Amino acid sequence: MIRYIAFLLTFVLGVAALPALAQSDEDETFEREISYGVNLNSNGGLIGGAFVRLAYTMNEKMLQFGALEIVEVKHPREQRYYNPYTGDSFIGGKQNYLFVVRPHYGRELVLFRKAAESGVQVNAIGAVGPSLGLLVPYYIRYDYGQQVGDDVRTEHYDPAIHKTAERIQGSSGFFTGLSEPNVNVGAHIKGGLSFEYGRYNESIAGIEVGVMLEAYPKELVIIPQAKNTSHFTSVYLNIFYGSRK
C-alpha cells in the first residue's frame, strides 16, 4: 500500500510541476458541470461505490465543486467461504459491513487545457469533508440442529456464539441489517489528478486518480477477531461521465 501511495504522490507532484504546455487559445466556456460515476479503491474490492459531483467555474484556471460519494470499506482480512451443503457463501469472522457516505467540498486547478473539440485536459484536485461511517450488522444463517437444516436461524454474527464455521449456511445479505446502522462521524481529505476526454464542450468523460485519508474518533470493528482501525488510507480511481452548461 505504501509504495502505491508514494508512487501516486510523486506522479501528481511531477505533473503539477510541469510547465503549462499544450494550452489552447480557444477556452472552454461553461458555468457548471455535473458528473457521476463509479469508484474503485484499494479498500473496496472490484467496485467500491458510486458518486455524483456538481462543479462551478470560478475563473479560467479554477473550479469549485461539491460531491457525494457512497462506498463500502472492506477489511483486508476478509475471505469468502462456501458451505458444502447449501452452496451459499459467507465472509469468515465478519461482524459488520462498513458503508461510508462522504459529502465533500473541493477545488480543481486546470494544469493542461484541452482544445474545444478534442484532446485531454488534466486537473489537480483537492477536497475535504465529513465521513459518515455506517456499521451495518452482518447477518448469517446458523444451523443449531442435530441434523443439517433442522434448526436454521438468521442472526447477527457473534464470534462468542457462532463458533463452528461448518454450521454457517451462508450470509443473509446487507439488506437484513440495513435498518440497524451504527453511525460514526469522521472526516476525510483527498487529492489527485483528473484526466478529461471528449470532443465537445457539452460533455465530459474521464478518470480521476488519487489518494484519500479518512479518520474516526474510535475504532470501527468489521472483523472482531482481527486488527481493526479508526483511520483508513486508500488509493482510488474514479471513472466518470457528465455534461456542461
Side-chain angles (χ1 to χ4, degrees):
M1 172 66 70
I2 299 298
R3 66 176 182 272
Y4 293 123
I5 295 173
F7 171 78
L8 189 55
L9 285 174
T10 301
F11 177 66
V12 170
L13 293 173
V15 172
L18 291 174
L21 300 177
Q23 296 284 332
S24 171
D25 292 332
E26 187 177 2
D27 289 337
E28 295 184 3
T29 56
F30 63 91
E31 293 184 357
R32 66 175 182 173
E33 65 180 36
I34 183 169
S35 59
Y36 48 87
V38 296
N39 168 274
L40 297 83
N41 65 80
S42 54
N43 292 332
L46 181 60
I47 300 295
F51 68 93
V52 60
R53 182 174 70 179
L54 183 62
Y56 292 90
T57 298
M58 299 178 68
N59 54 56
E60 64 177 11
K61 281 288 191 177
M62 185 72 70
L63 294 86
Q64 62 178 342
F65 65 87
L68 180 65
E69 181 178 272
I70 302 176
V71 302
E72 181 184 2
V73 175
K74 296 184 178 182
H75 196 283
R77 289 276 301 276
E78 289 191 17
Q79 186 172 353
R80 186 170 296 277
Y81 297 91
Y82 291 86
N83 184 290
Y85 300 102
T86 64
D88 291 339
S89 65
F90 61 95
I91 305 297
K94 183 164 184 168
Q95 190 172 51
N96 296 295
Y97 294 99
L98 176 54
F99 297 103
V100 184
V101 180
R102 299 182 184 128
H104 50 262
Y105 170 82
R107 298 276 181 102
E108 287 188 58
L109 174 65
V110 178
L111 300 179
F112 298 89
R113 186 178 302 279
K114 68 183 178 69
E117 298 296 324
S118 63
V120 178
Q121 178 165 306
V122 182
N123 297 346
I125 292 180
V128 64
S131 296
L132 301 179
L134 308 178
L135 284 173
V136 175
Y138 185 77
Y139 277 84
I140 60 169
R141 302 192 312 278
Y142 195 80
D143 190 355
Y144 288 92
Q146 296 298 317
Q147 296 184 353
V148 177
D150 276 356
D151 184 11
V152 179
R153 307 175 196 176
T154 299
E155 298 178 331
H156 181 201
Y157 174 76
D158 185 339
I161 298 173
H162 309 115
K163 298 180 179 180
T164 307
E166 290 76 12
R167 288 183 173 270
I168 302 177
Q169 295 204 339
S171 69
S172 295
F174 71 91
F175 287 108
T176 306
L178 201 56
S179 62
E180 311 169 47
N182 178 6
V183 181
N184 300 266
V185 180
H188 68 276
I189 185 170
K190 61 192 298 186
L193 293 174
S194 74
F195 301 86
E196 296 180 6
Y197 306 87
R199 292 187 58 189
Y200 305 105
N201 292 345
E202 291 79 9
S203 65
I204 56 171
I207 61 173
E208 176 187 336
V209 294
V211 294
M212 190 204 68
L213 304 176
E214 185 167 57
Y216 296 88
K218 65 178 184 178
E219 184 179 275
L220 303 185
V221 178
I222 301 175
I223 298 180
Q225 294 170 310
K227 179 178 174 58
N228 293 277
T229 183
S230 62
H231 58 277
F232 302 87
T233 303
S234 65
V235 178
Y236 71 87
L237 168 67
N238 288 339
I239 302 173
F240 61 85
Y241 179 81
S243 59
R244 288 172 170 163
K245 292 183 179 180

